[in-house]
Amino acid sequence: MKNSLKCEIEPLVKEANFSLRRDVLRLLNKAFFVEKNKKAKKALSWILENADIAKRQDLAICQDTGLPIIFIEVGSNKSISCLCVKKIEQEISLAYRKNYLRPFSVSPICRKTPSYEGAITHVDFNPEKRGIRVTVFPKGFGSENKSQLKMFNPTVGLKEIEDFIVESVKRAGPESCPPFVVGVGIGGTSDHALLLAKKALLERVDLANKDGLLNGLEKRLLKKINALGVGPMGLGGKCTALAVKIKTAPTHIAGLPVAINISCHALRSATRELKSVIDEK
Amino acid sequence: MELGVYNSEMRKRTNTIKDNGLKKLKAGEEILFSGYVYTARDQAHKKLVSSIKKSKKLPLDLNGQIIYYCGPTETPKGKVIGSCGPTTSGRMDAFVEPLLKSGVVAMIGKGTRSKKVRELIKKYKCVYFVAPSGCGALLAERVLSKELVCYKELGPEAVYKLKVTGFPLIVAIDSKGNNIYQHLQK
């Protein structure tokens, strides 16, 4: 089992780090053609050229190969063992090392011993799907450092929430590598809202939200964010964000958590259905 | 615009041209830099500044040098360096003054700098550049050599001496303190 799992996980790690997502590339290309500001256009051309070089040369799109986040989604016809989850983590760690990606963690207080340990794993059960899907999401910290959480009162107006989101993007600034994709989580508990915001970044960014209300909100926010004038690399222009993606969950009557997880322009992730995972009970 | 080789070894011979070269740059200008830079980010800054404060001898001579806020990936087989784009400069703001006092003439990173750092840049007449952020593969192609200088134990955060050619940079804060991010800062 180990070998075949390796054959499935290593390409996933490579794809996640060397190939920019197609939906992201589509929006970057669109931004390049629409942009009139010369400096912003140049920045976008660098970004597109970089994606091309990374893919051709098996180089990481960004030297910040993230603290990888692993999502394992288990469908209705499958189960998964602890051993299997640990093996997936192990193969991801090995693939990072083998492909010359940056050691992705250090001890939090003494800041020593850079290593390939400590990827963050989430296992979800989804009765609406079949099979087991693994997603590798290398999240860089230039943008991760700008994550925000605010616990609003339940009586708050939408306007206040929008202002909070726009202000958070403004504060992320040029150092978080705009144009961004802005993930927003609304509802649940504090921790759940943050996770929703992160998961929102895994949605197709070039497609409209199926929920009419959220679609309207996403479009309105994108317009406001793109009026900020930050632009690619902070050089001005129309494109501060490529997309805003919102995910919601039911919440408590006493509150309204709103979380923001920003991605840099190099939004990378790769997903595949595992064929080799079998339950070992 | 091509800014020639600039480093301390060359300094004596090319002092005038090079010093003027840097000081003449204006915020917003884009240049292609060829020469040497030293990578240093969070932990290397902490160590360097701690040594400076204790008046210890530094493992490298900072005089006339350019610091690049960067922690590259591992070097793939057959390549000079892995992906090597800039990291957020703001985290190094607190360490800037001792390094400028030690002779650093320019910094390369990404993003805005604090008011204090903008004033220091003016005071020491140095330059802050930004490199294409999130473009580590593109920048890797412009690195000719990489040599470990010190702090090996820090892994990607160690100090490396890089020889670069045609390295695209934008002058973000010039020696007069003009700042391309003025409109985004208070």
Side-chain angles (χ1 to χ4, degrees):
Chain A
M1 182 191 135
K2 199 182 168 193
N3 277 337
S4 55
L5 187 62
K6 187 195 202 79
C7 294
E8 295 201 275
I9 294 293
E10 196 187 342
L12 199 59
V13 168
K14 289 173 80 170
E15 188 192 333
N17 281 288
F18 302 157
S19 309
L20 205 53
R21 268 165 46 179
R22 249 184 246 168
D23 54 337
V24 178
L25 262 178
R26 197 167 294 143
L27 292 188
L28 281 168
N29 271 306
K30 200 174 135 196
F32 176 76
F33 285 109
V34 171
E35 189 61 68
K36 295 240 161 41
N37 178 318
K38 268 189 191 165
K39 282 183 177 156
K41 208 174 174 81
K42 183 72 188 270
L44 286 165
S45 78
W46 276 329
I47 290 168
L48 289 166
E49 192 190 342
N50 182 68
D52 186 50
I53 293 170
K55 195 169 184 175
R56 276 192 287 113
Q57 300 208 7
D58 270 9
L59 272 172
I61 293 168
C62 178
Q63 74 288 343
D64 187 347
T65 50
L67 185 55
I69 308 157
I70 307 163
F71 288 98
I72 302 173
E73 193 184 36
V74 185
S76 61
N77 60 335
K78 293 280 181 184
S79 58
I80 194 164
S81 66
C82 173
L83 184 70
C84 191
V85 171
K86 290 296 143 195
K87 278 189 174 162
I88 292 172
E89 287 176 344
Q90 198 184 0
E91 289 302 335
I92 286 172
S93 174
L94 284 171
Y96 256 76
R97 189 191 294 268
K98 190 181 160 200
N99 288 283
Y100 307 99
L101 301 172
R102 206 164 70 175
F104 49 71
S105 68
V106 286
S107 57
I109 295 169
C110 72
R111 312 301 299 186
K112 282 181 186 158
T113 58
S115 82
Y116 292 97
E117 303 294 324
I120 314 282
T121 307
H122 299 279
V123 182
D124 288 322
F125 298 94
N126 187 347
E128 285 163 23
K129 285 194 177 156
R130 295 174 75 76
I132 294 176
R133 249 172 297 277
V134 176
T135 298
V136 176
F137 183 11
K139 186 69 170 60
F141 257 54
S143 54
E144 184 69 6
N145 276 340
K146 308 293 175 165
S147 304
Q148 292 284 336
L149 171 73
K150 189 162 180 177
M151 304 301 279
F152 283 98
N153 278 333
T155 50
V156 72
L158 211 47
K159 163 93 176 40
E160 259 181 87
I161 294 174
E162 287 178 33
D163 288 349
F164 167 64
I165 295 167
V166 175
E167 186 55 32
S168 299
V169 175
K170 191 179 171 190
R171 275 168 51 185
E175 52 268 41
S176 308
C177 298
F180 307 124
V181 175
V182 183
V184 180
I186 304 177
T189 48
S190 55
D191 54 327
H192 194 60
L194 283 161
L195 187 57
L196 285 172
K198 187 149 274 134
K199 282 185 176 175
L201 297 173
L202 296 173
E203 296 287 318
R204 280 274 299 266
V205 295
D206 57 342
L207 294 182
N209 200 314
K210 282 179 191 147
D211 180 307
L213 177 77
L214 294 181
N215 185 41
L217 187 54
E218 286 176 359
K219 289 209 165 113
R220 203 157 59 240
L221 282 165
L222 185 62
K223 209 171 162 187
K224 284 186 185 176
I225 289 166
N226 283 338
L228 289 172
V230 178
M233 278 180 68
L235 299 172
K238 285 188 227 180
C239 189
T240 299
L242 299 167
V244 177
K245 301 302 288 182
I246 304 175
K247 269 186 172 304
T248 61
T251 190
H252 193 277
I253 53 170
L256 181 54
V258 177
I260 296 160
N261 196 235
I262 290 173
S263 171
C264 58
H265 58 74
L267 173 52
R268 298 146 285 170
S269 67
T271 303
R272 78 189 281 163
E273 191 177 332
L274 288 190
K275 303 286 182 213
S276 56
V277 178
I278 35 163
D279 190 35
E280 293 167 303
K281 230 182 314 186
Chain B
M1 174 181 176
E2 180 105 21
L3 189 74
V5 175
Y6 186 88
N7 62 72
S8 66
E9 287 120 273
M10 300 280 289
R11 201 169 200 211
K12 277 176 195 150
R13 274 180 287 150
T14 55
N15 192 33
T16 349
I17 311 164
K18 300 312 165 195
D19 265 356
N20 284 342
L22 266 185
K23 281 175 197 160
K24 271 187 190 164
L25 292 173
K26 289 197 173 70
E29 243 179 304
E30 189 202 319
I31 65 159
L32 292 170
F33 173 74
S34 300
Y36 293 96
V37 297
Y38 286 84
T39 67
R41 50 175 292 161
D42 307 70
Q43 299 307 321
H45 271 77
K46 200 173 168 184
K47 284 194 164 217
L48 285 170
V49 169
S50 156
S51 293
I52 293 170
K53 284 190 175 156
K54 289 176 192 153
S55 306
K56 281 190 191 164
K57 190 178 181 310
L58 293 181
L60 73 161
D61 180 10
L62 291 171
N63 193 27
Q65 300 303 349
I66 296 174
I67 297 289
Y68 180 28
Y69 304 140
C70 171
T73 63
E74 302 286 294
T75 304
K77 221 175 174 179
K79 292 209 159 62
V80 171
I81 195 169
S83 193
C84 57
T87 194
T88 303
S89 309
R91 293 196 314 270
M92 267 54 79
D93 280 355
F95 302 108
V96 165
E97 187 157 24
L99 296 189
L100 296 185
K101 267 189 190 161
S102 305
V104 167
V105 292
M107 300 159 275
I108 305 170
K110 63 164 168 154
T112 55
R113 307 306 302 253
S114 67
K115 190 163 180 270
K116 174 87 192 294
V117 170
R118 296 193 310 260
E119 282 162 4
L120 288 170
I121 287 171
K122 202 171 158 183
K123 182 176 165 191
Y124 287 89
K125 295 189 170 38
C126 55
V127 176
Y128 167 55
F129 295 103
V130 288
S133 54
C135 297
L138 179 145
L139 292 169
E141 282 203 323
R142 286 148 170 87
V143 178
L144 300 176
S145 68
K146 173 191 172 209
E147 182 192 323
L148 176 73
V149 176
C150 58
Y151 307 145
K152 185 170 184 260
E153 69 282 7
L154 295 178
E157 294 199 71
V159 174
Y160 296 99
K161 182 179 182 181
L162 308 183
K163 187 180 183 188
V164 303
T165 183
F167 211 67
L169 300 174
I170 293 170
V171 181
I173 305 174
D174 63 26
S175 59
K176 295 197 171 70
N178 299 309
N179 170 19
I180 58 165
Y181 297 131
Q182 209 130 28
H183 63 296
L184 301 173
Q185 290 179 303
K186 277 161 209 158

